[in-house]
């Protein structure tokens, strides 16, 4: 019987976690782009940042999603550390809604509402235009089914003599109110949350154990405090491969909760007494007393809310000092990241959602785009480099960048392919298609840069005659126009496409095409007039033509980002 109960508890927890994940992902699909815009725009100061974090977390029902999104924004440079910390503090308040939903599940037979939700959900899923709402209903139904099953299993646990004796004896070993017992349950809550990667699941278990009287309410409170620390470790794991600012934001999340748990432990008795008074709960109440289960879960939900609200209101005034501490604790590494291949924004972290994954990929592509313009800048420097040793070093750098561009295309494409395996909205699918086209064209820009560098190197190694002064002037002018095209492309990649005038890129491309045609005709005349040799003229036009090709690739990137059909082959 006890083995059956164990599997029933584990199965109901799995249902609950799957329901939370499905519900959160559906909500993010419905409002993801708007929420990202809110998160980026409504953080003018720490108080609006706090309210934004609270609103977003309450909307998507996942503090982890909000925190990871915030860390990603810091990684991309869209939020400062001060703004990020205030958003994370608000997320702590927003996540308390989940505990109240669970408390509601213990107040009445919530399973009665599950089957109509399943029925309505499957109808909506087969209606393609309402599929996301159907996913949301299925998530809610699984969540409530998991809660209901967990609650029923808790009462079976009490009725099973063997299981009841074992569990009761285990918890009775720690019944004495002292520091070490409190620390044990605090660590248990932290470790369990870290292992399960869901504070909601551990909160549900805590409510189940406390509502049946197996776990004393004082011990349940310590588990709740431990859950608040455990849930911060997820963001730190994900941020481990991110840049220094993102790691600081994740560590600040951990710091805020550790400080909060510290003061809560010091003031635990009066604070807990106040919560019990608010709910009307007597800690000496018998587990068999009428209404005990409902009151016990309400105490846990109220304590969770009171702790996070108080902790946020206390620490919001000291955000700048928290920033100083995390900056002191996490110092930047002194490495030349530009010379090494490393994805800066895409991480292999856990518990990612499609919306967040697409955002990270967009930031990675933006960095890819900026890198290609820097590579073209190296090619321009190579053209005028006279020192043989410096020339070889610069050419080697360009070769390395070409390899980096190939690797970036492959890795981003692989990541997007992984994301596309998830159940996505039509809008997100279209974004992924556009991004795959963007990285292909950006890699072609890298190839074009390398081709120009190889042409210059071929001229130098072949001991060809120098370009005439006019040829240098024409190449510099062509390269200046190409660099302008790259700059316009990066302006689009780094901003909002509805504020971008695509005609700027088309005008530069037309100017480059016209200039290439002009130089082509002039080159034939200059060779006929013996101003330079045919071999020099060929190398000269190879550089000009490759610049024109590069500009075509730039326009293709712009068209992909703007959602336009490709015109340049």
């Amino acid at each position: 019987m006890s083995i059956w109960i164990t599997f029933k508890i584990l199965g109901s927890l799995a249902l609950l976690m799957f329901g939370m994940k499905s519900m959160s992902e559906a909500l993010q699909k419905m409002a993801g782009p708007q929420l990202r815009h809110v998160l980026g725009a409504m953080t003018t100061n720490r108080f609006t940042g706090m309210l934004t974090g609270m609103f977003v977390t309450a909307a998507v029902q996942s503090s982890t999603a909000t925190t990871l999104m915030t860390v990603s924004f810091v990684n991309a440079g869209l939020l400062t550390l001060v703004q990020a910390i205030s958003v994370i503090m608000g997320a702590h308040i927003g996540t308390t809604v989940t505990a109240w939903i669970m408390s509601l599940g213990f107040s009445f037979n919530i399973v009665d509402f599950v089957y109509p939700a399943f029925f309505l959900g499957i109808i909506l899923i087969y209606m393609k235009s309402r599929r996301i709402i159907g996913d949301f209903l299925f998530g809610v139904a699984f969540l409530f089914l998991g809660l209901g099953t967990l609650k029923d299993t808790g009462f079976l646990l009490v009725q099973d003599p063997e299981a009841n004796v074992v569990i009761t004896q285990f918890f009775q070993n720690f019944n004495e109110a002292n520091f070490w017992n409190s620390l044990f349950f605090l660590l248990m809550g932290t470790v369990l949350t870290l292992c399960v990667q869901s504070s909601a699941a551990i909160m549900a278990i805590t409510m189940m154990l406390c509502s049946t009287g197996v776990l004393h309410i004082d011990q349940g409170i310590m588990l709740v405090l431990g859950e608040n620390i455990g849930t911060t470790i997820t963001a730190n794991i994900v941020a481990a491969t991110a840049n220094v600012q993102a790691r600081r934001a994740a560590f600040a999340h951990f710091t805020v909760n550790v400080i909060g748990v510290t003061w809560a432990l010091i003031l635990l008795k009066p604070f807990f007494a106040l919560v019990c008074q608010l709910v009307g709960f007597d800690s000496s109440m018998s587990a068999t007393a009428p209404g005990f289960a409902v009151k016990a879960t309400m105490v846990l939900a109220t304590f969770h809310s009171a702790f996070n609200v108080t902790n946020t209101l206390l620490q919001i005034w000291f955000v700048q000092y928290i920033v100083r501490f995390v900056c002191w604790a996490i110092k930047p590494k002194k490495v030349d990241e530009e010379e090494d291949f490393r994805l800066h924004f895409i991480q292999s972290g856990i518990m990612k959602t499609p919306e967040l994954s697409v955002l990270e990929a967009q930031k990675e592509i933006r960095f890819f785009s900026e890198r290609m313009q820097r590579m073209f800048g190296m090619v321009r420097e190579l053209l005028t480099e006279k020192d043989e040793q410096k020339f070889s070093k610069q050419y080697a750098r360009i070769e390395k960048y070409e390899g980096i561009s190939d690797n970036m295309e492959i890795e981003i494409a692989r990541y997007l392919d992984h994301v596309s395996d998830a159940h996505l909205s039509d809008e997100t699918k279209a974004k992924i298609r556009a991004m795959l086209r963007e990285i292909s064209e950006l890699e072609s820009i890298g190839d074009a840069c390398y081709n120009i560098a190889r042409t210059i190197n071929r001229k130098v190694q072949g001991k060809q005659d120098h370009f005439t002064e006019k040829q240098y002037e024409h190449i510099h002018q062509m390269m200046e126009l190409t660099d302008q095209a790259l700059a316009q492309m990066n302006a689009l990649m780094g901003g909002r496409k509805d504020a971008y005038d695509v005609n700027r890129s088309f005008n530069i491309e037309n100017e480059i095409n016209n200039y290439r045609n002009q130089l082509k005709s002039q080159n034939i005349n200059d060779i006929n007039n013996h101003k330079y040799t045919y071999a020099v003229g060929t190398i000269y036009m190879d550089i000009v033509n490759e610049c024109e090709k590069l500009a075509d690739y730039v326009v293709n990137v712009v068209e992909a980002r703007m959602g336009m059909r490709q015109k340049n082959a």
Side-chain angles (χ1 to χ4, degrees):
M1 180 67 175
S2 57
I3 296 175
W4 171 245
I5 289 173
T6 302
F7 278 117
K8 203 167 182 182
I9 289 172
L10 292 174
S12 58
L13 271 178
L15 270 177
L16 185 143
M17 290 171 68
F18 180 75
M20 281 293 297
K21 185 175 183 292
S22 300
M23 183 177 74
S24 177
E25 286 186 357
L27 285 165
Q28 287 178 69
K29 284 175 193 171
M30 283 191 277
Q34 290 80 3
L35 291 178
R36 289 203 306 272
H37 178 63
V38 167
L39 196 59
M42 290 182 59
T43 50
T44 51
N45 59 59
R46 53 192 168 184
F47 297 103
T48 57
M50 180 190 73
L51 292 171
T52 303
M54 188 170 66
F55 163 73
V56 172
T57 306
V60 301
Q61 278 301 296
S62 174
S63 62
T64 301
T66 305
T67 304
L68 295 184
M69 205 181 291
T70 304
V71 168
S72 177
F73 268 55
V74 174
N75 198 33
L78 299 178
L79 286 180
T80 65
L81 204 51
V82 172
Q83 289 171 325
I85 292 171
S86 61
V87 170
I88 289 167
M89 285 180 172
H92 292 158
I93 299 174
T95 194
T96 61
V97 175
T98 308
W100 283 104
I101 292 172
M102 291 181 180
S103 177
L104 190 70
F106 283 87
S107 301
F108 59 92
N109 190 12
I110 207 160
V111 178
D112 292 342
F113 297 91
V114 166
Y115 301 105
F118 276 133
F119 177 70
L120 184 58
I122 198 67
I123 293 172
L124 292 172
I125 283 173
Y126 280 101
M127 294 169 59
K128 287 189 177 179
S129 59
R130 298 285 184 269
R131 185 168 186 171
I132 296 174
I133 299 173
D135 289 341
F136 170 73
L137 284 176
F138 255 73
V140 172
F142 276 125
L143 169 64
F144 286 166
L145 184 60
L147 272 174
T149 310
L150 196 63
K151 181 179 72 172
D152 294 340
T153 309
F155 290 114
L156 284 175
L157 192 67
V158 175
Q159 293 164 11
D160 182 1
E162 184 185 342
N164 192 18
V165 168
V166 172
I167 295 172
T168 304
Q169 281 182 349
F170 172 78
F171 286 123
Q172 279 179 349
N173 292 331
F174 305 96
N175 262 349
E176 188 181 342
N178 60 48
F179 172 78
W180 296 111
N181 286 345
S182 297
L183 184 64
F184 172 77
F185 282 100
L186 182 72
L187 290 174
M188 183 189 283
T190 303
V191 171
L192 288 175
T193 305
L194 177 60
C195 293
V196 178
Q197 289 293 327
S198 171
S199 58
I202 306 304
M203 175 63 83
I205 282 281
T206 306
M207 285 183 169
M208 186 262 295
L209 292 172
C210 287
S211 66
T212 55
V214 172
L215 182 68
H216 194 270
I217 196 74
D218 292 347
Q219 297 166 335
I221 290 297
M222 295 309 299
L223 282 175
V224 170
L225 289 175
E227 290 156 19
N228 278 277
I229 296 175
T231 195
T232 66
I233 299 174
T234 303
N236 282 273
I237 292 170
V238 172
T241 56
N243 65 24
V244 66
Q245 287 295 88
R247 294 200 303 274
R248 285 170 176 170
F251 186 62
H253 184 206
F254 173 77
T255 303
V256 166
N257 274 15
V258 168
I259 292 170
V261 168
T262 303
W263 71 253
L265 288 174
I266 295 169
L267 302 173
L268 188 60
K269 284 189 177 178
F271 192 69
F272 179 53
L274 181 62
V275 169
C276 289
Q277 191 177 346
L278 282 171
V279 177
F281 178 80
D282 184 358
S283 57
S284 61
M285 187 186 235
S286 170
T288 55
F292 175 83
V294 175
K295 290 280 187 182
T297 56
M298 280 187 68
V299 166
L300 292 172
T302 306
F303 180 86
H304 190 224
S305 296
F307 165 72
N308 281 293
V309 170
T310 307
N311 189 40
T312 299
L313 293 179
L314 284 174
Q315 294 195 56
I316 194 73
W317 306 97
F318 303 101
V319 169
Q320 65 270 30
Y321 298 105
I322 296 169
V323 169
R324 286 183 195 175
F325 171 71
V326 297
C327 289
W328 169 81
I330 299 178
K331 292 181 172 61
K333 294 178 183 177
K334 294 181 180 179
V335 293
D336 187 6
E337 294 182 347
E338 185 58 39
E339 291 300 317
D340 296 315
F341 167 65
R342 183 173 77 87
L343 295 178
H344 284 229
F345 307 111
I346 290 174
Q347 300 126 28
S348 57
I350 46 181
M351 294 188 75
K352 287 288 172 67
T353 61
E355 281 294 339
L356 185 58
S357 299
V358 168
L359 172 70
E360 289 183 334
Q362 282 177 336
K363 301 308 166 194
E364 198 67 66
I365 292 170
R366 175 185 172 186
F367 180 71
F368 189 3
S369 174
E370 290 168 351
R371 205 167 207 166
M372 290 303 95
Q373 187 173 8
R374 282 194 291 275
M375 184 180 181
F376 184 71
M378 292 176 200
V379 174
R380 294 182 73 180
E381 291 171 13
L382 189 73
L383 180 67
T384 55
E385 186 57 68
K386 304 298 181 186
D387 185 279
E388 191 174 327
Q389 190 174 357
K390 288 181 180 177
F391 182 94
S392 298
K393 189 176 179 182
Q394 184 78 334
Y395 183 69
R397 279 188 79 197
I398 294 168
E399 273 190 315
K400 190 172 184 179
Y401 262 64
E402 201 276 331
I404 287 172
S405 71
D406 289 344
N407 287 331
M408 287 191 79
E409 181 195 18
I410 292 166
E411 291 301 320
I412 297 171
R414 186 178 293 159
Y415 182 77
L416 289 172
D417 185 54
H418 176 70
V419 173
S420 65
D421 288 339
H423 174 51
L424 304 171
S425 64
D426 291 339
E427 183 186 358
T428 305
K429 285 178 184 174
K431 282 181 185 176
I432 289 176
R433 283 195 298 272
M435 286 191 283
L436 287 169
R437 181 179 160 196
E438 287 166 19
I439 59 173
S440 174
E441 299 296 342
L442 286 170
E443 193 275 333
S444 296
I445 291 173
D447 288 344
C449 289
Y450 183 50
N451 287 339
I452 296 170
R454 282 199 306 175
T455 303
I456 297 169
N457 185 56
R458 189 171 78 243
K459 175 182 172 295
V460 171
Q461 298 303 323
K463 308 294 183 183
Q464 297 285 348
D465 293 339
H466 291 297
F467 290 136
T468 65
E469 191 175 322
K470 278 287 183 184
Q471 281 179 312
Y472 272 118
E473 186 182 319
H474 295 154
I475 293 171
H476 284 309
Q477 178 62 25
M478 176 61 87
M479 285 187 167
E480 177 60 31
L481 287 170
T482 308
D483 193 59
Q484 286 177 25
L486 286 164
Q488 286 297 321
M489 176 186 75
N490 281 317
L492 169 62
M493 302 298 271
R496 293 172 61 84
K497 65 181 183 181
D498 54 2
Y500 181 77
D501 183 5
V502 74
N503 288 320
R504 294 174 187 172
S505 290
F506 291 153
N507 290 341
I508 294 172
E509 186 209 14
N510 288 333
E511 194 174 345
I512 289 171
N513 288 343
N514 293 335
Y515 195 49
R516 187 275 311 267
N517 294 337
Q518 178 189 330
L519 294 180
K520 189 176 180 181
S521 300
Q522 191 175 338
N523 178 61
I524 295 169
N525 292 332
D526 288 344
I527 290 172
N528 290 333
N529 293 330
H530 305 291
K531 290 187 177 180
Y532 43 79
T533 65
Y534 182 82
V536 169
T538 301
I539 291 173
Y540 165 63
M541 282 312 298
D542 282 348
I543 294 171
V544 170
N545 286 328
E546 205 63 51
C547 284
E548 191 276 331
K549 280 185 190 176
L550 194 155
D552 285 344
Y553 299 139
V554 168
V555 170
N556 290 343
V557 173
V558 170
E559 287 174 347
R561 178 51 64 99
M562 296 296 289
M564 301 167 69
R565 289 188 177 181
Q566 185 169 343
K567 289 184 288 190
N568 293 300

